[in-house]
Amino acid sequence: MADKNLEIIPLYEWGMFKEPRPSVVAGPCSAETEEQVMETARGLKEMGVNVFRAGIWKPRTHPGCFEGIGVEGLGWLQRVKDELGLKVATEVASEKHVRECLKHGVDILWIGARTTANPFLVQEIADALKGTDIPVFVKNPVNADLDLWIGALERLNRAGVRKLGVIHRGFSTFDKIQYRNDPQWQIAIELRSRYPELPFFVDPSHMGGSTKYIKEISQRSLDLGFEGLMIEAHCNPSSAWSDAKQQLTPAELDDLIFRQLYVRDADSDSPEWKENIDHLRAKIDVIDENLLYALGSRMKISRQIGEYKKDNNIAIIQAARWDSLFGKVVEKGREYGLSEKFLNDVFNAIHEASVEVQNEIISGKKQAGI
Ligand code: PEP
Ligand code: MN
């Protein structure tokens, strides 16, 4: 049986991240050379980043690409810790990776999207983490499977990992889309609503696949109330050995975080705000009730029409009637400032429900009380 609850230590109690949002983890896709790691880390430290990321073992799609510098790079991360006082984070995909990270004092681990999709590997990592206190972030699996993502969290949590968080980096698609990975925000929102206490980061670098999308994805994730961002940054992005198109310089990251992104409060204690918002919400509630009443009344009439069609042996769908009705709806709806797409969605749903009810009448099925 799957666990219902996760036992989570809140993000700001890990001693690594501080409010206000966003908490930032930044650093290169890959640790390439000691100089590149140190120069990037110095730039990030200067702009106030506390947690430095760098991939040591890289899961590449094709063989023959740079697959990470390996254990040697862990020594460079130790230098970042010792000389600059930053916390360091890297990706693990096996028990061996975990052991090496623990040996070299890595502060935070993350499980990459390709690994989250493999329960054998996640279990192997979870077993290797038993008895440790190291925080772990779990990226979403490459495929859009929320249960697989939650299953990975459960495996780690059962192994005693309570400093646990997630990183949303989007899902693979076969069709080419604007972003490198499809956000499918509804999956992230569902995970947040099931586990509101779970620290939630978004990785706009891997989601967007290009520096040009980093701002809009980061802003969206702040607007959705998520705590943190994991962003790839490199001292010289265009010469990066992996993911060159999606890495910012430390200066660009500084500009993004401190000058471009806007953090909206989730709520406010101001009495004036409360009074006004309550008033507006009360109005919306009344309108919603009216909408429901109108939809119910419409459905009653639809049913009567169904009976009448049945008695007269008339087919349910009369395309000409629907076309003219829809034309009028769009014309009228525009006057109310509603878009054609919205009207289309709403009236198609209404029409479908109406047809279904009439179908049941004509085929003699019992009505379920609409
Ligand atoms: C990474 O963060 O370097 C990485 C490989 O990301 P993902 O697992 O999201 O592809
Ligand atoms: Mn990368």
Side-chain angles (χ1 to χ4, degrees):
M1 256 305 269
D3 285 335
K4 284 263 171 356
N5 291 308
L6 297 173
E7 223 184 286
I8 302 295
I9 298 180
L11 183 69
Y12 303 117
E13 288 174 24
W14 296 6
M16 301 177 179
F17 298 99
K18 285 194 282 292
E19 285 184 275
R21 294 186 305 140
S23 292
V24 176
V25 176
C29 179
S30 306
E32 300 162 2
T33 64
E34 190 163 6
E35 294 66 42
Q36 167 251 8
V37 164
M38 293 309 296
E39 192 184 333
T40 308
R42 269 186 221 108
L44 292 170
K45 157 117 188 165
E46 222 166 276
M47 64 154 287
V49 165
N50 295 321
V51 183
F52 180 76
R53 65 150 279 161
I56 294 293
W57 301 277
K58 298 303 301 177
R60 305 306 298 276
T61 301
H62 296 287
C65 301
F66 174 58
E67 293 189 323
I69 203 73
V71 174
E72 185 189 356
L74 292 174
W76 309 339
L77 294 188
Q78 262 179 321
R79 242 191 103 188
V80 169
K81 270 181 78 142
D82 296 345
E83 290 180 22
L84 303 173
L86 299 181
K87 301 284 183 196
V88 294
T90 200
E91 172 175 344
V92 289
S94 68
E95 178 195 342
K96 173 180 165 286
H97 294 167
V98 173
R99 302 234 174 274
E100 290 294 350
C101 286
L102 294 173
K103 204 159 82 190
H104 287 83
V106 173
D107 301 291
I108 299 178
L109 305 179
W110 82 81
I111 296 182
R114 294 157 195 79
T115 307
T116 307
N118 183 334
F120 289 133
L121 288 177
V122 175
Q123 192 58 54
E124 177 183 314
I125 292 167
D127 291 342
L129 286 167
K130 275 192 187 139
T132 71
D133 187 31
I134 188 165
V136 182
F137 282 102
V138 181
K139 287 196 166 195
N140 62 266
V142 275
N143 54 322
D145 183 340
L146 178 56
D147 276 329
L148 197 55
W149 197 358
I150 292 174
L153 294 166
E154 288 167 345
R155 286 176 196 279
L156 290 158
N157 206 224
R158 283 182 177 203
V161 179
R162 292 190 304 138
K163 291 178 187 158
L164 191 58
V166 290
I167 302 173
H168 179 40
R169 48 76 85 196
F171 303 97
S172 294
T173 56
F174 179 69
D175 294 326
K176 219 179 148 22
I177 57 168
Q178 182 192 31
Y179 293 162
R180 178 174 172 188
N181 289 293
D182 187 356
Q184 301 220 29
W185 290 110
Q186 76 281 9
I187 296 181
I189 293 166
E190 174 67 26
L191 183 60
R192 161 84 349 155
S193 70
R194 287 202 213 170
Y195 303 102
E197 71 289 3
L198 189 63
F200 212 118
F201 279 54
V202 169
D203 172 347
S205 310
H206 290 91
M207 190 179 279
S210 160
T211 51
K212 67 175 181 243
Y213 301 126
I214 291 183
K215 180 182 168 195
E216 68 189 44
I217 297 172
S218 302
Q219 187 61 60
R220 171 61 80 89
S221 100
L222 283 174
D223 292 346
L224 288 170
F226 299 137
E227 289 76 32
L229 297 169
M230 177 186 260
I231 301 186
E232 286 188 338
H234 191 290
C235 54
N236 187 0
S238 58
S239 66
W241 299 1
S242 58
D243 287 350
K245 282 199 309 204
Q246 66 190 37
Q247 307 201 54
L248 299 175
T249 62
E252 286 166 342
L253 181 68
D254 184 68
D255 194 48
L256 174 80
I257 302 292
F258 295 107
R259 276 166 291 282
Q260 297 185 30
L261 295 181
Y262 185 78
V263 183
R264 296 177 176 88
D265 291 336
D267 208 343
S268 161
D269 289 333
S270 133
E272 189 189 333
W273 150 263
K274 283 214 175 307
E275 194 184 318
N276 287 336
I277 196 75
D278 284 351
H279 185 62
L280 291 168
R281 285 180 177 151
K283 280 190 184 169
I284 286 266
D285 288 348
V286 171
I287 293 173
D288 283 349
E289 269 175 40
N290 290 341
L291 275 175
L292 290 173
Y293 178 77
L295 286 171
S297 307
R298 193 188 193 286
M299 205 53 100
K300 258 189 216 150
I301 309 240
S302 251
R303 201 175 302 126
Q304 283 173 9
I305 293 177
E307 301 282 1
Y308 197 52
K309 284 179 182 164
K310 184 180 181 187
D311 293 346
N312 289 279
N313 209 19
I314 304 285
I316 295 171
I317 299 189
Q318 276 119 27
R321 155 78 186 143
W322 173 243
D323 287 348
S324 93
L325 181 151
F326 190 68
K328 275 190 251 163
V329 161
V330 170
E331 208 182 304
K332 193 93 208 138
R334 278 218 188 96
E335 286 171 25
Y336 291 124
L338 303 170
S339 77
E340 184 160 346
K341 151 109 181 55
F342 175 68
L343 294 164
N344 217 331
D345 290 348
V346 170
F347 277 84
N348 271 325
I350 291 175
H351 187 229
E352 255 173 52
S354 231
V355 167
E356 204 177 306
V357 158
Q358 294 188 6
N359 231 336
E360 284 174 2
I361 290 172
I362 290 203
S363 60
K365 280 194 219 147
K366 197 173 171 301
Q367 282 308 291
I370 321 175

